[in-house]
Amino acid sequence: MKLLPWDYGVRNLLRAPGRTALGAGGVALVTALLVTAAAFVRGMNGSLAETGGLRNVILLGAGSEDSVERSEVKAGVAGIVAASVPGIEERLGVPYVSPEINVALVVNVDGQERQASFRGVTDAAYLVHPQVRIVEGRAPRAGELLVGRFAAARLDVPDERLAVGRSVDIDGRPWTIAGRFEAPGTVLDAEIWCDAQELRVATRRETLSGIVLTLADDAQTDDLDLFTKQRLDLELVALPERGYYARLHDFLAPVRAMVWTTALLVAGAALLGGIDTMHASFAARIRELATLRALGFANGAIALSLVQEALLTAALGALVGAACVLPLDGLAVRVSMGAFGLRVDGTALALGLGAACGVGLLGSLPAAWRCLRMELVAALRAD
Amino acid sequence: MSALVECRGLTRVYHKGDQEIRPLDELDLDVDEGTFTALMGPSGSGKTTLLNLVAGIDRATSGTLRVEGVELGALSNTELARWRAHTIGYVFQLYHLVPVLTAYENVELPLLLRDDTRRERHRKVAAALELVGLADRHDHFPRQLSGGQEQRVALARAIVTDPRIIVADEPTGDLDAAAADAILDLLGALRRELGKTLLMVTHDPRAAAHADRVIHLEKGRIVAAAAATS
Ligand SMILES: Nc1ncnc2c1ncn2[C@@H]1O[C@H](COP(=O)(O)OP(=O)(O)OP(=O)(O)O)[C@@H](O)[C@H]1O
Ligand SMILES: [Mg+2]
């Protein structure tokens, strides 16, 4: 099949710059939306998938496997575990065993009551959660807090409100922010950390929520399983930390489904609109297309040129749309369970760009077909 | 020897709603190779319809049409498209130039359907534009040309492939007397020197006088055929 010159399509785009800009603008909107949806889902999934350390195990109270916030573990257990379970990572004689309290608390920020995720920790927490990096200030002491970079988003307050040196009230008592941390791509980012002992006092609880520990390189979970079975009195259950957060991932399936459904509906509507726009643009040239057919160009060659035009427009729009949402990377998003950062990465961009080109292709083919199947002499006489 | 173009009982029927239009009605016509035939007749008498059929861009409702011994009705759409790209040069009544292409590119278009190299194409396009007197208009877009110049570009596009048959729908309609004479002389020369077969629709008796034969159509039938006097 002999093809039309490549730049015939390009020149046609320039012939009606207004129409081309409008088409590209529509595609840009769809791309922006799809990339954002993908960045949302990827940010959410990623934060759950990457929170758990690969060699981390979380010990919870038996029967509370689904929620660390409901779990209760006796206060002294961390010491027993450190002393009796073999194969735990250590550095300079300090075992990687982190007793933690996870609790959702109401925080009073300038008279506004807000729900926040707290984690009461000891120094060992920084060993078992190496993603956590204090970027400003220092670790909290008595009456102090360490806030994650998305904690403000979780509380729905401006970021400056949780700056180092400011304070918030918990149960009528002021706590000062001593530092800020980031733990990119994890749910920890949305948390507020403080001293475990302080938090126990403040919440008047006797127990821990759980114990996170890191196994040495070659260690197996068998020893831990054996330990939990031998010490039934401690009522513990051991879960790989990754597995725990992966379960949370399943609970969020409806949120993901909703995001995707919305994105697909919008993309579908855009596709229908695109078919119509492209048909109008091709139909305006029906006589010219008929001339090409009369000269002997195959319908396939003409359709290819039209599809090429549409794909160029779509690609232009997709690039603009993608460029517009690129700055959203890392933007904090609040959802009911916490907060996470949008992840505008290669996959999200590829998805948006691919979908945009799909719109161009699927939109232009039926439009081209409608114009080209018309009887040749009738098309030549069209005005 | 049989004629180059042979129409037997050629009929074309269009349907507009429940109305039936019959621009060609049981037409019999032979056109010999290397002749110049003028088609005349009132508006709506079926002249363009006949050209379209002979050029293979339309299909007869009934009757047979044989060109170069090929039964056009028996070809598939793809075969027909390839056939006309190689056999026919068509000067459309409304020129039908592609607006985004320059005069040069418009004339080059039918050559893209062949295996010519870029150089061969350049030589042929330049020669065709030279023949119609537009050697200095290569880079002009159709909107930058006058009606008469557009018509001449359309003629150049029709002859650039060196087709055996040239059909022209009022190729001098928008030209002044001098330019029209130049084009008609060119058509005459194509027949005389290259043995082309020409079929031309015209309303102008002076243009028809350049042909060897004039056929009058009325309501889709031939009402008179005469050898031209000149
Ligand atoms: N595709 C079509 N659909 C419907 N009617 C058509 C079609 N093509 C031609 N006709 C009708 O057929 C008749 C003959 O048309 P045609 O174009 O052959 O006339 P013509 O002799 O070339 O006229 P003119 O001198 O005005 O160009 C006209 O009545 C026209 O309206
Ligand atoms: Mg006509």
Side-chain angles (χ1 to χ4, degrees), chain A residues 8-42:
Chain A
Y8 169 69
V10 180
R11 289 195 211 171
N12 273 305
L13 292 180
L14 299 175
R15 170 157 68 168
R19 194 189 319 235
T20 304
L22 214 64
V27 175
L29 272 175
V30 176
T31 309
L33 179 101
L34 287 178
V35 173
T36 308
F40 178 89
V41 170
R42 288 187 59 72

Side-chain angles (χ1 to χ4, degrees), chain A residues 355-379:
Chain A
C357 293
V359 168
L361 187 71
L362 292 179
S364 58
L365 269 178
W369 187 72
R370 268 160 75 187
C371 287
L372 291 174
R373 92 196 147 138
M374 197 171 163
E375 203 187 34
L376 185 43
V377 278

Side-chain angles (χ1 to χ4, degrees), chain A residues 186-270:
Chain A
T186 72
V187 294
L188 305 177
D189 258 342
E191 294 181 346
I192 298 177
W193 284 19
C194 59
D195 180 71
Q197 188 58 30
E198 287 273 313
L199 190 59
R200 254 167 66 193
V201 172
T203 55
R204 290 179 276 282
R205 65 186 276 170
E206 305 275 297
T207 57
L208 303 167
S209 304
I211 299 163
V212 180
L213 50 88
T214 304
L215 296 175
D217 263 341
D218 47 355
Q220 302 295 316
T221 48
D222 301 5
D223 292 329
L224 258 178
D225 285 337
L226 193 65
F227 172 77
T228 58
K229 294 212 173 78
Q230 281 172 346
R231 296 296 308 261
L232 286 175
D233 59 311
L234 299 179
E235 297 177 68
L236 291 177
V237 53
L239 297 173
E241 202 184 16
R242 288 248 151 148
Y244 173 77
Y245 287 104
R247 294 242 295 260
L248 291 186
H249 178 261
D250 296 340
F251 293 139
L252 290 171
V255 178
R256 278 192 299 276
M258 198 190 68
V259 170
W260 281 132
T261 310
T262 312
L264 285 179
L265 284 177
V266 174

Side-chain angles (χ1 to χ4, degrees), chain B residues 47-49 93 169-170 201:
Chain B
K47 304 182 295 293
T48 299
T49 305
Q93 190 166 10
D169 205 344
E170 299 198 40
V201 169

Side-chain angles (χ1 to χ4, degrees), chain A residues 144-166:
Chain A
E144 291 180 344
L145 302 173
L146 178 70
V147 298
R149 62 175 173 154
F150 293 152
R154 168 85 164 99
L155 291 182
D156 202 11
V157 298
D159 212 32
E160 316 82 78
R161 185 57 192 83
L162 297 188
V164 171
R166 313 237 2 211

